[in-house]
Amino acid sequence: MNFKPKSLVLFILLAVLFALPSQAQTCIKFEAPAFPIPTVYGTPAAQVSGDLAFTFNLIDAYIWNFNTFGPGIAFNRAYIDVAPVAFSPGQSLRFNNISMLFDLRNLAFAAHRVTFAYLDLGGYENLEVNGSLHLGELTAAPAMLGGTSVSVSSTPLPPPRSGKFGTVTIVGNVIKTVRVGGQELWIDSFCVSQ
């Protein structure tokens, strides 16, 4: 084979690019048409904890009990909404005393990173990774949860509103499930990457 110098450089560059690992990613952004307002999950939809709410981009989402302080649980509703304070573009998923479990095991790649934006206007939250539960404020989530590292950014809302918004980032060798819920909580841009 007779290559010219420019052709050889191009050939080597393409070989290197194809040899690099690809970064697979999938997101749920809770926008229409897949998520029209006023889609509702939970008690008003005659669902019980553990029912499949939806499947999107190979992520199965199950409606789930909300753990309260003490031995109690709540199960109210989650619904597609436009948040009263902009924290992400467009629509989002609002939780009212309920949780949702995102099962990542059917993806075509192993999940090593999960991020989502949140708006917290009160109450406390549930954050569970691979079966290990944190109950309390998202901003107080432990640095390690379910064999993963967790970091939460937070920005307070300007007065007269009270609350905060930010991003939750979960990184680990294997992330199989993530459950999130709250009392006055919105999430958006739930993204999973390898």
Side-chain angles (χ1 to χ4, degrees):
M1 214 176 227
N2 186 9
F3 285 105
K4 294 181 180 180
K6 286 184 181 178
S7 298
L8 182 58
V9 170
L10 181 59
F11 178 76
I12 292 171
L13 180 61
L14 287 174
V16 168
L17 288 175
F18 284 116
L20 291 174
S22 64
Q23 183 68 24
Q25 180 178 359
T26 188
C27 294
I28 304 173
K29 297 202 175 182
F30 303 106
E31 297 297 329
F35 297 96
I37 291 176
T39 301
V40 177
Y41 310 101
T43 299
Q47 293 173 317
V48 297
S49 184
D51 281 354
L52 180 67
F54 62 85
T55 298
F56 189 80
N57 288 346
L58 298 177
I59 298 173
D60 294 327
Y62 297 89
I63 202 69
W64 214 262
N65 287 330
F66 177 74
N67 292 77
T68 61
F69 283 108
I73 57 169
F75 188 79
N76 191 14
R77 67 184 175 136
Y79 55 97
I80 304 301
D81 189 26
V82 175
V85 177
F87 74 103
S88 69
Q91 300 175 174
S92 52
L93 177 62
R94 180 176 187 218
F95 296 100
N96 181 280
N97 291 294
I98 202 162
S99 297
M100 190 166 285
L101 182 133
F102 298 92
D103 188 339
L104 312 177
R105 292 175 283 191
N106 290 329
L107 293 171
F109 57 89
H112 298 294
R113 181 182 179 91
V114 172
T115 62
F116 61 89
Y118 73 90
L119 170 66
D120 177 8
L121 294 184
Y124 56 91
E125 293 78 46
N126 289 181
L127 178 63
E128 181 182 282
V129 181
N130 296 335
S132 294
L133 175 66
H134 163 71
L135 174 60
E137 291 294 322
L138 283 178
T139 52
M144 298 296 292
L145 187 63
T148 68
S149 66
V150 176
S151 64
V152 181
S153 71
S154 176
T155 302
L157 294 173
R161 287 266 190 199
S162 63
K164 54 193 166 270
F165 66 95
T167 303
V168 174
T169 302
I170 304 164
V171 178
N173 286 333
V174 179
I175 305 172
K176 296 178 182 177
T177 59
V178 173
R179 179 167 65 101
V180 62
Q183 296 178 298
E184 294 182 59
L185 180 71
W186 287 256
I187 68 166
D188 198 12
S189 299
F190 185 93
C191 293
V192 183
S193 56
Q194 63 179 168

